[in-house]
Amino acid sequence: MNYHLFGESHGPAIGVVLEDVPAGIELDMAFVAAQMARRAPGGSLLATARREADAVEIVSGVFEGRTCGTPLCAIIRNTDMRSRDYEATRWLARPGHADWTGHLRYAGCNDPRGGGHFSGRLTAPLVFAGAVARLALRGHGIEIAAHIRELAGLTDSPVDYANPDLAALRALPQKDLAVLDDAAGEAMRERIVQARACGDSVGGVIECLVCGMPAGLGGPDFDDSVESLWARYLLAIPAVKGLEFGAGFRLAAMRGSEANDPFYRDSEGRIRTRTNNNGGINGGITNGMPLVCAVAIKPTPSIALEQETVDMRTGESARLRVGGRHDPCILPRAVPVVEAATALTMQSLLACGARS
Amino acid sequence: MNYHLFGESHGPAIGVVLEDVPAGIELDMAFVAAQMARRAPGGSLLATARREADAVEIVSGVFEGRTCGTPLCAIIRNTDMRSRDYEATRWLARPGHADWTGHLRYAGCNDPRGGGHFSGRLTAPLVFAGAVARLALRGHGIEIAAHIRELAGLTDSPVDYANPDLAALRALPQKDLAVLDDAAGEAMRERIVQARACGDSVGGVIECLVCGMPAGLGGPDFDDSVESLWARYLLAIPAVKGLEFGAGFRLAAMRGSEANDPFYRDSEGRIRTRTNNNGGINGGITNGMPLVCAVAIKPTPSIALEQETVDMRTGESARLRVGGRHDPCILPRAVPVVEAATALTMQSLLACGARS
Amino acid sequence: MNYHLFGESHGPAIGVVLEDVPAGIELDMAFVAAQMARRAPGGSLLATARREADAVEIVSGVFEGRTCGTPLCAIIRNTDMRSRDYEATRWLARPGHADWTGHLRYAGCNDPRGGGHFSGRLTAPLVFAGAVARLALRGHGIEIAAHIRELAGLTDSPVDYANPDLAALRALPQKDLAVLDDAAGEAMRERIVQARACGDSVGGVIECLVCGMPAGLGGPDFDDSVESLWARYLLAIPAVKGLEFGAGFRLAAMRGSEANDPFYRDSEGRIRTRTNNNGGINGGITNGMPLVCAVAIKPTPSIALEQETVDMRTGESARLRVGGRHDPCILPRAVPVVEAATALTMQSLLACGARS
Amino acid sequence: MNYHLFGESHGPAIGVVLEDVPAGIELDMAFVAAQMARRAPGGSLLATARREADAVEIVSGVFEGRTCGTPLCAIIRNTDMRSRDYEATRWLARPGHADWTGHLRYAGCNDPRGGGHFSGRLTAPLVFAGAVARLALRGHGIEIAAHIRELAGLTDSPVDYANPDLAALRALPQKDLAVLDDAAGEAMRERIVQARACGDSVGGVIECLVCGMPAGLGGPDFDDSVESLWARYLLAIPAVKGLEFGAGFRLAAMRGSEANDPFYRDSEGRIRTRTNNNGGINGGITNGMPLVCAVAIKPTPSIALEQETVDMRTGESARLRVGGRHDPCILPRAVPVVEAATALTMQSLLACGARS
């Protein structure tokens, strides 16, 4: 399932075209809306005050409640725009944002309001696409769950990659902050509130697990590796600046005898590994163990504190205080986005796998 | 420049087909050989004893010493194979390797000798491809250099991402271990020797910098983002299990006011950033600062210690002692491989950029 | 410039997402509307009575009247649908249409009303996309013009491929039937009226010329050949069942000495060919002569005459009289569609060419 | 199965890399050699006197006689080169060839000897690739056969597209000229001999049928249409300048009531069409009827007669008499090439179809 996002934060609408959608999926709009709601702003003190209904209009590809198999276009109108917030600072490049690079890349013609096409708002149609992918995965026994592993230096309790606690993972979407350790969550919430109070922001790490994927999907080369494909989708999420599979960067300090995941046959005759430091992937191919990927998310670059910058027209130095309404921490809302990119990856892998 | 690697570790040959090669590049074979030599085994106590001449035969795409623009195929014959090393253990899945996943993915038909197509040996044609990309970049004033940032828990001295010491980076290829801090390098060497003595292996982190790339290349979406493209190529290198751009995972513990890279105009009128936590990339697009990416490399999975595993035919439990000749640490030889994948990424970005 | 069409004939809307649009193109909506009007139904006795305003809403990718460079989505609402026309015959496969193949391909889930996504109505967003491509080509001195070379067995006067009469080609869009020979056009019109009177339909051949393209674009392989690319776009137009470049099928009866286009230097020092039987393309690459391609278009499969068919649910034999409103001949409206697909091809070639 | 051809006519070797090869195909080298032999030069008076062993070396992707699933590279050494034939005329653009366009496209750096990468010699690895695709199709009950429909204005007896005579099609590969009507074949042979005697060449039309493909493969859009895919592969064969599906250009003179292929249920309960003017494809999707495509092949541009041309270095007018050894008509050798491109198309369609 390929996806093509379009839209600007303050343009008429944002949306997505999905291609290679399997035909006949019941488009359970209550499920879709629930996924969208997890990402939507306006839910709590932790997030931006911008309120968007994020009502999805299905423009094509669905007939009598089921996917047609032909391209599915969905659009979401932009309704709560306050573009004036941006006018005064239109030519001042916001540090950490894509204002300057977008200006260069598009010869000054891109829509600068609210970040335009670079806006985190584009994750709304991405979550929609992920919801369709999840519906396509229904009945395959595949579960996708993400938690906030780290936030502002605080850590959630670790997941056993080889034997994750499925009940605990399933409970995450009901929580305000997707953490396994509620005490850690409370402390994280405190950090967010503090950051907001200072006009500042915080970042963290989101870790995503996928259980139930068949072994043998993917391939060794850059165009078929599970890791390459998953990374492509995850790194296109704004603010993601790193990712790791399984133990990832922690492998750098391990010995081979510790890092290798020994194989064994379990009581049901399945071949499994004792540990899962490789995150369920060997040589770019799934090995039947839970798939594990974590992404590093930088602190929201939109902060209220005054910052040094330049005027993009003149190149002159300037001081900038970013107006508008922003999240002091996007991790709570980024959890369903990471899951969505993951669902799209998994649906594509399964579709390709059926091919071989 | 697209590349298509082919070959198996113990088959007749390995190689690569390069497409979209710019026409007219002088194929400086001394330069190519020097790059190949940096990766070649047999150089020191730190690496496998397998000795391969790694002589490259250019089969197509070069005429009178220059690239034709048509597909360039290069092959490297496999000469020092000792396939018997693998025969006794052919059906025992080596932990941490792709034996089991390859067996599943290819229905038991893949070449298991020495890892087949999954072998690290495939990085030889990748380094060749990178050398061609570097030749294509010549004259653009672009420099690519990687160092071992971490090895077995030991760290090299940090690089200033905003103002890297170019002289120090340029000196790296002359060193046995590509580190800035030679004392740290000495300690790392010690760790490798110790690991080898124990029949074990160690991993680490390689960090790569690119200076001189123009600003404004790349794009925000998954199919044009600099990060997505770079990651695709890097994650297809065997043993890479994570990557980060700029401060990457360290951003998770920073505040926005610390993580944002403020813009300023330097004395020559160029727009730059004070810090470079974003690794020279905002919104998937280069911002003119040095590009920085680090990859986590797991310890070589081939270790001499006995390991638990299964027989892939029968599913029975088994004990395995991996024969053959292996690197106790692949980082020294992986440095030019990371640079090669980076050079291919940069050449592609520049070629696409010329288009817009 | 990639394009992704979406929509169904009787769904909420149809549209297109354009990617890799050059930034900064003035989106001359009067020009766009004029192109759309050339294809729009309802214009004359020769075409379907369905009337669609075909009002285009630009949803994204345009800011202050110019393209942003980010994905451009345009949608066209479906307004004059009479889906009841189709209900009685929903499960009867219309001969020559994609009802049966769509039913198989999409497991019976595709939207059957008016052909769904297979409808010729999807050529409206294609003409929109072509109009954007033409705007991108403005200032490059490139002209694209198509005429009806053959209709119901009648032929227009031939074009001199090596030295086309540009004034005559430029006058074509003003005509009701795009023919060079108005007497032939009058006879063709008569044939269409006759076919309509019989409840039948007629087909023909549309020939498209492109003047002003630089020499040296394209390549020899299936993924870069001008002919391959152009064919991909043209063959996706409903009802196109063949194509030829330059003299095409007429080459089959020529001798090499007649078919070869000898080179010469003209009075301005340009290298040209005496004849242009190769349609401006040698080895998949433009040679600087006018590009010439013709497409065979089958008679509209929707006819009023009763036809033999089957019921797709039961497989039983049935008789079908197609209701709805249809064109007795789509060639008049297909001329701007062929030009649109051609404009997209040329824009892509120029963009790629800038790369090398 | 993607293919990547490489090599130049007078370089060290030509070859192909195949990706996405199904694992476990028995690589029946006798079958491969038989296919190669059908295309190989040197067989008769009708073809070039150049004799190439065309011995294929499998470099990768095959283990113990079966495909591994990993990229399969095959190379064919160039052995009977007489490059001196070309030296005197190196800078004179041969009319009808890609010398001039290749010179422009590759900035004068392409290998001009014998046409370099543009040479018809590259069809040798294409036939190899097609042979592998045919082996992958074995057991699917799919038959592919091509005949010379027209040669130098003479026509073979027509094929009934709805009910082709399979026995007659199966007998074609045994014939020197692949025609159904041996008397027509005799007359064609005469024309070839005459053309050779005059130092001239002749062209024709090759028609290819595929029986046994399942219905429901392909799609309506330019990136999934059967016609688009098939055309991409066929148009990359040197000398192909047109193609048509089913009745193709003959549809231009038909009425809808004649052109439409009415559906009926046959005695075995299968849904079929009475006629097959659409060549087994509706809306870009297979309908279960035989697939039919014909390609127009121009006369061999290499002729012995003196021709007008220019010197590519100086732009000066010149006279050229092409040396070297050439086919007066490539159709006999092009038949297996058209079948090979067709086999690759069909294998890809089946692989994709398994996915949906």
Side-chain angles (χ1 to χ4, degrees):
Chain A
M1 209 156 92
N2 295 315
Y3 69 93
H4 303 276
L5 298 177
F6 56 83
E8 281 75 38
S9 181
H10 291 225
I14 54 178
V16 66
V17 172
L18 299 173
E19 294 174 332
D20 294 324
V21 181
I25 303 171
E26 294 271 356
L27 204 63
D28 179 342
M29 288 304 286
F31 176 80
V32 169
Q35 293 295 319
M36 301 291 290
R38 293 175 63 201
R39 191 217 70 94
S44 83
L45 275 175
L46 303 181
T48 170
R50 178 172 173 174
R51 291 175 171 282
E52 292 279 1
D54 279 356
V56 176
E57 183 195 5
I58 308 285
V59 166
S60 70
V62 175
F63 178 60
E64 297 180 340
R66 291 187 303 173
T67 55
C68 296
T70 49
L72 192 167
C73 178
I75 66 174
I76 302 168
R77 295 280 164 186
N78 290 321
T79 54
D80 184 27
M81 300 170 288
R82 285 178 17 199
S83 301
R84 266 153 306 149
D85 287 352
Y86 298 93
E87 276 165 28
T89 55
R90 172 166 173 182
W91 300 105
L92 301 185
R94 292 170 301 161
H97 275 285
D99 298 340
W100 170 235
T101 53
H103 182 79
L104 289 168
R105 171 71 178 77
Y106 300 118
C109 298
N110 58 314
D111 182 346
R113 297 168 301 165
H117 185 64
F118 296 91
S119 169
R121 197 159 156 60
L122 269 287
T123 57
L126 181 56
V127 168
F128 170 82
V132 176
R134 288 181 107 136
L135 290 171
L137 292 170
R138 265 193 189 174
H140 288 266
I142 292 163
E143 304 201 51
I144 296 171
H147 74 120
I148 297 173
R149 189 174 86 186
E150 182 183 337
L151 190 151
L154 301 171
T155 54
D156 192 15
S157 42
V159 174
D160 179 345
Y161 298 156
N163 296 289
D165 178 345
L166 284 175
L169 293 175
R170 284 175 193 143
L172 288 168
Q174 276 70 54
K175 301 188 181 188
D176 202 35
L177 268 189
V179 287
L180 299 163
D181 173 354
D182 291 331
E186 207 47 56
M188 289 173 183
R189 184 187 322 273
E190 197 58 37
R191 290 276 171 94
I192 298 174
V193 171
Q194 282 168 8
R196 172 195 289 278
C198 304
D200 215 334
S201 64
V202 292
V205 175
I206 292 174
E207 183 170 80
C208 187
L209 283 97
V210 184
C211 298
M213 282 291 282
L217 302 177
D221 293 309
F222 75 83
D223 51 358
D224 58 8
S225 149
V226 171
E227 285 146 326
S228 274
L229 178 63
W230 205 352
R232 276 174 83 189
Y233 284 0
L234 290 171
L235 286 168
I237 300 172
V240 169
K241 295 299 285 187
L243 53 76
E244 61 181 11
F245 298 93
F249 279 86
R250 285 159 284 162
L251 287 162
M254 293 185 191
R255 286 213 164 177
S257 54
E258 178 187 7
N260 281 354
D261 302 313
F263 293 101
Y264 72 102
R265 182 155 74 162
D266 75 3
S267 55
E268 296 170 55
R270 292 173 308 191
I271 293 179
R272 293 173 48 83
T273 61
R274 295 278 177 204
T275 50
N276 187 15
N277 291 311
N278 284 283
I281 304 167
N282 294 128
I285 299 172
T286 58
N287 68 9
M289 296 297 292
L291 302 177
V292 185
C293 183
V295 294
I297 294 184
K298 68 178 181 179
T300 325
S302 295
I303 56 176
L305 294 168
E306 193 183 82
Q307 297 178 84
E308 179 185 13
T309 190
V310 293
D311 184 297
M312 297 189 288
R313 278 167 315 180
T314 63
E316 296 293 332
S317 289
R319 306 293 299 176
L320 170 68
R321 197 177 285 277
V322 178
R325 299 153 294 175
H326 303 288
D327 296 297
C329 177
I330 62 159
L331 274 92
R333 295 175 58 201
V335 167
V337 177
V338 168
E339 290 181 18
T342 299
L344 286 160
T345 307
M346 298 304 140
Q347 198 278 332
S348 291
L349 284 171
L350 268 188
C352 289
R355 191 168 49 167
S356 306
Chain B
M1 207 157 93
N2 295 315
Y3 69 93
H4 304 275
L5 299 176
F6 57 83
E8 281 76 38
S9 181
H10 291 224
I14 55 178
V16 67
V17 172
L18 298 174
E19 294 173 333
D20 294 323
V21 181
I25 303 171
E26 293 273 354
L27 205 63
D28 178 343
M29 288 305 286
F31 176 82
V32 169
Q35 292 296 319
M36 301 291 290
R38 293 175 64 201
R39 192 217 70 93
S44 82
L45 275 175
L46 303 180
T48 170
R50 178 172 175 174
R51 292 178 170 281
E52 292 279 3
D54 279 356
V56 176
E57 182 194 5
I58 309 284
V59 166
S60 69
V62 176
F63 178 60
E64 297 181 342
R66 292 187 301 172
T67 56
C68 296
T70 48
L72 192 168
C73 178
I75 66 174
I76 301 167
R77 296 279 163 187
N78 291 321
T79 52
D80 184 27
M81 301 172 288
R82 285 177 18 199
S83 300
R84 266 153 305 149
D85 286 351
Y86 298 93
E87 276 166 27
T89 55
R90 172 166 174 182
W91 300 106
L92 301 184
R94 291 170 301 161
H97 274 285
D99 298 339
W100 169 235
T101 53
H103 182 78
L104 289 169
R105 171 70 179 78
Y106 300 118
C109 297
N110 58 314
D111 181 345
R113 297 168 301 166
H117 185 64
F118 296 91
S119 168
R121 195 159 155 60
L122 270 286
T123 57
L126 180 57
V127 168
F128 170 81
V132 176
R134 287 181 110 136
L135 290 171
L137 291 172
R138 266 192 189 174
H140 289 266
I142 292 163
E143 305 201 50
I144 297 171
H147 74 120
I148 297 174
R149 189 174 86 187
E150 182 184 336
L151 190 152
L154 301 171
T155 54
D156 192 14
S157 43
V159 174
D160 179 344
Y161 298 157
N163 297 291
D165 178 345
L166 285 174
L169 293 174
R170 284 176 193 143
L172 289 167
Q174 276 70 54
K175 301 188 180 189
D176 202 33
L177 267 189
V179 287
L180 299 164
D181 173 355
D182 291 332
E186 207 47 56
M188 289 174 183
R189 185 188 322 273
E190 196 58 37
R191 290 277 170 93
I192 298 173
V193 171
Q194 283 167 7
R196 173 196 288 275
C198 306
D200 214 335
S201 64
V202 291
V205 174
I206 291 174
E207 185 169 78
C208 188
L209 282 96
V210 185
C211 298
M213 282 290 282
L217 302 177
D221 293 308
F222 75 82
D223 50 0
D224 57 10
S225 150
V226 171
E227 285 146 325
S228 275
L229 179 64
W230 204 353
R232 278 173 83 188
Y233 285 180
L234 290 171
L235 286 167
I237 300 172
V240 170
K241 295 299 285 187
L243 53 77
E244 60 182 11
F245 299 93
F249 279 87
R250 284 159 284 162
L251 288 162
M254 291 186 192
R255 285 212 166 179
S257 54
E258 179 186 6
N260 282 354
D261 301 314
F263 293 102
Y264 71 102
R265 184 156 72 162
D266 74 4
S267 55
E268 296 169 56
R270 293 173 309 187
I271 293 181
R272 294 173 47 85
T273 61
R274 295 276 176 205
T275 51
N276 187 14
N277 292 310
N278 283 282
I281 305 166
N282 293 128
I285 300 172
T286 58
N287 67 10
M289 296 296 292
L291 301 177
V292 185
C293 183
V295 295
I297 294 185
K298 68 178 183 180
T300 324
S302 294
I303 56 176
L305 294 168
E306 190 182 85
Q307 298 177 85
E308 179 185 13
T309 190
V310 293
D311 183 298
M312 297 189 288
R313 278 168 315 180
T314 64
E316 296 294 333
S317 289
R319 306 294 299 177
L320 171 67
R321 198 177 286 275
V322 179
R325 298 153 293 174
H326 303 288
D327 296 297
C329 177
I330 62 160
L331 274 91
R333 295 175 58 202
V335 167
V337 177
V338 168
E339 289 181 16
T342 298
L344 287 160
T345 306
M346 298 305 139
Q347 197 278 331
S348 290
L349 284 171
L350 269 188
C352 289
R355 190 170 48 169
S356 306
Chain C
M1 208 157 91
N2 295 314
Y3 70 93
H4 303 277
L5 299 176
F6 57 83
E8 280 76 37
S9 180
H10 291 224
I14 55 178
V16 66
V17 172
L18 299 174
E19 293 173 334
D20 294 323
V21 181
I25 303 170
E26 294 272 354
L27 205 63
D28 178 343
M29 288 304 287
F31 176 82
V32 169
Q35 293 295 318
M36 302 290 290
R38 293 175 64 201
R39 192 218 69 95
S44 83
L45 275 174
L46 303 180
T48 170
R50 179 172 174 174
R51 291 176 170 281
E52 293 278 3
D54 279 356
V56 176
E57 183 194 5
I58 308 285
V59 167
S60 70
V62 176
F63 179 60
E64 298 181 340
R66 292 187 302 172
T67 56
C68 296
T70 49
L72 192 168
C73 178
I75 65 175
I76 301 167
R77 296 280 163 185
N78 291 320
T79 53
D80 183 29
M81 299 170 287
R82 284 176 22 196
S83 300
R84 266 153 305 150
D85 287 351
Y86 297 93
E87 277 165 27
T89 55
R90 171 166 174 183
W91 300 106
L92 301 185
R94 292 170 302 162
H97 274 286
D99 298 340
W100 169 235
T101 54
H103 182 79
L104 289 168
R105 171 69 179 79
Y106 300 118
C109 298
N110 58 316
D111 182 345
R113 297 168 302 166
H117 185 64
F118 295 91
S119 169
R121 198 161 153 59
L122 270 287
T123 57
L126 180 57
V127 168
F128 170 81
V132 176
R134 287 181 110 136
L135 291 171
L137 292 171
R138 266 191 189 175
H140 288 265
I142 292 163
E143 304 201 51
I144 297 171
H147 74 120
I148 297 175
R149 188 174 86 186
E150 181 184 337
L151 190 152
L154 301 171
T155 53
D156 192 14
S157 41
V159 174
D160 179 345
Y161 299 156
N163 297 289
D165 178 345
L166 284 175
L169 293 174
R170 284 177 193 141
L172 289 168
Q174 276 70 53
K175 301 188 181 187
D176 202 34
L177 268 189
V179 288
L180 299 163
D181 173 354
D182 291 330
E186 207 47 55
M188 289 175 183
R189 184 187 324 273
E190 196 59 36
R191 290 275 172 94
I192 298 174
V193 171
Q194 282 168 8
R196 173 196 288 278
C198 305
D200 214 334
S201 64
V202 292
V205 174
I206 291 174
E207 184 170 80
C208 188
L209 282 96
V210 185
C211 298
M213 282 291 282
L217 302 177
D221 293 309
F222 75 83
D223 51 0
D224 58 9
S225 150
V226 171
E227 285 146 325
S228 275
L229 179 64
W230 204 353
R232 278 174 83 188
Y233 284 0
L234 290 171
L235 287 167
I237 300 172
V240 169
K241 295 299 286 186
L243 54 76
E244 60 181 11
F245 299 93
F249 279 87
R250 284 160 284 163
L251 288 161
M254 293 185 190
R255 285 215 165 176
S257 54
E258 177 186 8
N260 282 354
D261 301 313
F263 294 100
Y264 72 102
R265 183 156 73 162
D266 74 5
S267 55
E268 296 170 55
R270 293 172 308 189
I271 294 180
R272 294 172 48 83
T273 61
R274 295 275 177 205
T275 49
N276 188 13
N277 292 310
N278 283 283
I281 305 166
N282 293 129
I285 299 173
T286 57
N287 67 10
M289 295 297 291
L291 302 176
V292 185
C293 183
V295 295
I297 294 186
K298 68 179 182 178
T300 324
S302 294
I303 56 175
L305 294 168
E306 192 181 86
Q307 297 177 85
E308 179 185 13
T309 190
V310 293
D311 183 300
M312 296 189 289
R313 278 167 314 181
T314 64
E316 296 293 333
S317 289
R319 306 294 298 177
L320 170 68
R321 197 177 285 276
V322 178
R325 299 154 293 174
H326 304 288
D327 296 297
C329 176
I330 61 158
L331 274 92
R333 295 176 58 202
V335 167
V337 177
V338 167
E339 290 181 15
T342 298
L344 287 160
T345 306
M346 298 305 139
Q347 198 278 331
S348 291
L349 284 171
L350 269 188
C352 290
R355 192 169 47 170
S356 307
Chain D
M1 209 156 92
N2 296 315
Y3 69 92
H4 303 276
L5 299 177
F6 57 83
E8 280 75 39
S9 181
H10 291 225
I14 54 178
V16 65
V17 172
L18 299 174
E19 295 173 332
D20 293 325
V21 181
I25 303 171
E26 294 272 354
L27 204 62
D28 178 343
M29 288 305 286
F31 176 81
V32 169
Q35 293 295 320
M36 300 291 290
R38 293 174 64 201
R39 191 216 70 94
S44 82
L45 275 176
L46 303 180
T48 170
R50 178 171 173 175
R51 291 177 171 281
E52 292 280 2
D54 279 355
V56 176
E57 182 194 6
I58 308 284
V59 166
S60 69
V62 176
F63 178 59
E64 297 180 342
R66 290 186 305 171
T67 56
C68 296
T70 48
L72 191 167
C73 178
I75 66 175
I76 302 167
R77 296 279 163 186
N78 290 322
T79 52
D80 184 28
M81 301 171 288
R82 285 178 18 198
S83 301
R84 266 153 306 149
D85 286 351
Y86 298 93
E87 275 165 29
T89 55
R90 173 168 173 182
W91 300 106
L92 301 183
R94 292 170 300 161
H97 274 285
D99 297 339
W100 169 235
T101 54
H103 182 79
L104 289 169
R105 171 70 179 78
Y106 301 118
C109 298
N110 58 315
D111 182 347
R113 296 168 301 165
H117 185 64
F118 295 90
S119 169
R121 195 157 157 62
L122 270 286
T123 57
L126 180 57
V127 168
F128 170 81
V132 177
R134 287 182 109 136
L135 290 171
L137 292 170
R138 264 191 189 175
H140 289 265
I142 292 164
E143 305 201 50
I144 296 172
H147 74 120
I148 297 174
R149 189 173 85 185
E150 182 184 336
L151 190 152
L154 301 171
T155 54
D156 193 14
S157 42
V159 174
D160 179 344
Y161 298 157
N163 296 289
D165 178 345
L166 285 175
L169 294 174
R170 284 176 193 143
L172 289 167
Q174 275 72 52
K175 301 187 180 188
D176 201 34
L177 268 190
V179 287
L180 299 164
D181 173 355
D182 290 331
E186 206 48 55
M188 290 173 184
R189 184 187 324 273
E190 196 60 34
R191 290 276 170 95
I192 298 174
V193 171
Q194 283 168 6
R196 173 195 288 276
C198 305
D200 215 334
S201 63
V202 292
V205 175
I206 292 174
E207 184 170 80
C208 188
L209 283 96
V210 185
C211 298
M213 282 290 282
L217 301 177
D221 293 309
F222 75 83
D223 51 358
D224 58 9
S225 150
V226 171
E227 285 146 325
S228 275
L229 179 64
W230 204 351
R232 278 174 83 189
Y233 285 179
L234 290 172
L235 286 167
I237 300 172
V240 170
K241 295 298 286 187
L243 53 77
E244 60 181 12
F245 299 94
F249 279 86
R250 285 160 283 163
L251 287 161
M254 292 185 191
R255 286 210 164 180
S257 54
E258 180 187 7
N260 282 353
D261 300 313
F263 294 101
Y264 71 102
R265 182 155 74 163
D266 75 3
S267 56
E268 295 170 54
R270 294 173 306 190
I271 294 180
R272 293 172 48 83
T273 61
R274 295 278 177 203
T275 50
N276 187 15
N277 292 309
N278 284 282
I281 304 167
N282 294 129
I285 300 172
T286 58
N287 68 10
M289 296 296 291
L291 301 177
V292 185
C293 183
V295 295
I297 294 184
K298 68 178 182 180
T300 323
S302 294
I303 57 176
L305 294 169
E306 190 182 84
Q307 298 178 84
E308 180 185 11
T309 189
V310 293
D311 183 298
M312 297 189 288
R313 278 167 313 180
T314 63
E316 296 294 332
S317 289
R319 306 295 299 178
L320 171 68
R321 197 178 286 276
V322 179
R325 299 152 295 174
H326 304 287
D327 297 297
C329 177
I330 61 159
L331 275 91
R333 295 175 58 203
V335 167
V337 177
V338 168
E339 289 181 17
T342 299
L344 286 160
T345 306
M346 299 304 140
Q347 198 279 331
S348 291
L349 284 171
L350 269 188
C352 289
R355 189 169 51 167
S356 307

